[in-house]
């Protein structure tokens, strides 16, 4: 059996880091589009319309029941076939398009619940009081409900973001070369040798990314609660 070579971890890390922008880009794109769709699904569940609520509930239920790798293959192989029937050819689209599409669908289901629970955590009486003193519905939402909802949503949003980053490692299964894909290439180039060393290097990178996400979320949460404290202090003094 081949001996363990820890020095290869240091050799592999710089090669993997070169593809870190791909991984980060996939996460950013997914968060953007997934959050937009999540807002729509959350609005469908919050509003009283039966059709919108039923559609949002059905969407969330279906997406939660499908393993991410199965959905990835369905989108990668099935979406071009579906759209070609409408005269739309996306066979030449980059693999990143299919990855972002897949994980945006998954992320939206999580965000719909995060946004809904955060919105409903704010006392409805605060919005009604704001409207009663002359604010419009939008002003009441933007100035009263939204800041409090964001504070409530940050922990669950952070958990969803970390899960997204880890699930995104499946992108290599359709040939996208991110840090995981590059790791698989390194193992293949060495004919299966140094597998443990490469996976340990990947572990270090994903662990570091997770720490950065959690640290950033913690700082944001503290800042938002500090701002709330200052606002509360001002209102009490006034």
């Amino acid at each position: 059996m081949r001996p363990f070579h820890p020095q290869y971890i240091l050799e592999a890390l710089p090669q993997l880091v070169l593809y870190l922008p791909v991984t980060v880009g996939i996460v950013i794109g997914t968060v953007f589009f997934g959050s937009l769709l999540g807002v729509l699904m959350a609005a469908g569940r919050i509003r009283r319309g039966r059709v919108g609520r039923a559609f949002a509930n059905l969407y969330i239920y279906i997406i939660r029941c499908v393993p991410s790798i199965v959905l990835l293959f369905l989108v990668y192989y099935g979406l071009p076939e579906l759209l070609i029937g409408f005269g739309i050819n996306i066979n030449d689209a980059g693999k990143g398009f299919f990855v972002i599409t897949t994980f945006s669908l998954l992320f939206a289901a999580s965000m719909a619940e995060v946004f809904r629970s955060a919105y409903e955590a704010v006392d409805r009486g605060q919005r009604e009081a704001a409207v009663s003193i002359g604010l419009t519905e939008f002003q009441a939402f933007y100035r009263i409900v939204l800041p409090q909802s964001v504070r409530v949503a940050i922990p669950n949003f952070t958990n969803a973001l970390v899960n997204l980053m880890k699930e995104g490692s499946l992108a290599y299964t359709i040939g996208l070369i991110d840090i995981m894909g590059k790791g698989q290439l390194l193992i293949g180039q060495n004919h299966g040798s140094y597998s443990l060393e490469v996976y340990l290097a990947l572990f270090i990178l994903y662990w570091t990314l997770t720490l950065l996400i959690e640290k950033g979320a913690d700082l944001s949460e503290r800042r938002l609660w500090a701002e709330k404290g200052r606002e509360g202090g001002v209102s009490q003094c006034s």
Side-chain angles (χ1 to χ4, degrees):
M1 187 175 182
R2 185 187 58 79
F4 177 64
H5 293 286
Q7 69 274 12
Y8 191 78
I9 298 175
L10 299 178
E11 296 178 19
L13 276 172
Q15 301 180 64
L16 297 174
V17 168
L18 290 175
Y19 292 85
L20 189 58
V22 179
T23 297
V24 174
I26 292 297
V27 171
I28 292 175
T30 300
V31 169
F32 178 77
F33 292 107
S35 295
L36 290 179
L37 183 56
V39 167
L40 295 177
M41 294 298 107
R45 297 201 65 186
I46 293 170
R47 293 182 179 274
R48 297 180 180 179
R50 292 184 179 180
V51 175
R53 180 177 296 181
F55 178 81
N57 288 336
L58 181 63
Y59 173 85
I60 293 171
Y61 177 77
I62 291 175
I63 292 297
R64 283 183 168 181
C65 293
V66 180
S68 53
I69 191 169
V70 173
L71 185 61
L72 178 59
F73 288 149
L74 286 174
V75 170
Y76 183 61
Y77 293 108
L79 187 60
E81 295 293 330
L82 176 64
L83 293 180
I84 202 70
F86 297 94
I88 302 174
N89 186 1
I90 61 170
N91 288 303
D92 295 329
K95 292 181 173 61
F97 167 80
F98 297 101
V99 173
I100 291 177
T101 299
T102 299
F103 289 106
S104 292
L105 295 173
L106 290 167
F107 194 67
S110 299
M111 287 299 97
E113 289 299 285
V114 170
F115 295 150
R116 180 191 63 81
S117 60
Y119 177 83
E120 294 180 345
V122 180
D123 186 5
R124 186 177 299 178
Q126 296 186 46
R127 181 185 60 79
E128 294 173 350
V131 173
S132 68
I133 63 174
L135 271 66
T136 65
E137 286 284 351
F138 176 78
Q139 289 174 328
F141 172 77
Y142 182 76
R143 298 178 61 179
I144 306 299
V145 178
L146 183 60
Q148 297 182 71
S149 298
V150 169
R151 286 191 286 265
V152 174
I154 283 179
N156 290 328
F157 178 84
T158 303
N159 290 334
L161 183 57
V162 171
N163 288 333
L164 166 65
M165 183 189 64
K166 293 186 292 186
E167 291 285 339
S169 62
L170 294 172
Y172 84 93
T173 58
I174 63 169
L176 182 73
I177 307 302
D178 57 352
I179 56 176
M180 176 61 76
K182 180 59 178 178
Q184 296 299 319
L185 288 177
L186 288 176
I187 293 172
Q189 290 169 3
N190 290 291
H191 306 288
S193 300
Y194 303 110
S195 298
L196 178 58
E197 292 84 348
V198 171
Y199 286 128
L200 284 173
L202 288 167
F203 166 81
I204 292 171
L205 284 178
Y206 279 110
W207 178 65
T208 302
L209 289 173
T210 301
L211 287 180
L212 291 174
I213 291 173
E214 292 182 345
K215 185 63 176 178
D218 183 58
L219 291 174
S220 299
E221 189 174 8
R222 290 184 182 182
R223 182 176 179 180
L224 287 171
W225 283 107
E227 289 178 356
K228 180 186 179 184
R230 288 195 295 269
E231 293 171 359
V234 171
S235 63
Q236 289 173 5
C237 292
S238 59

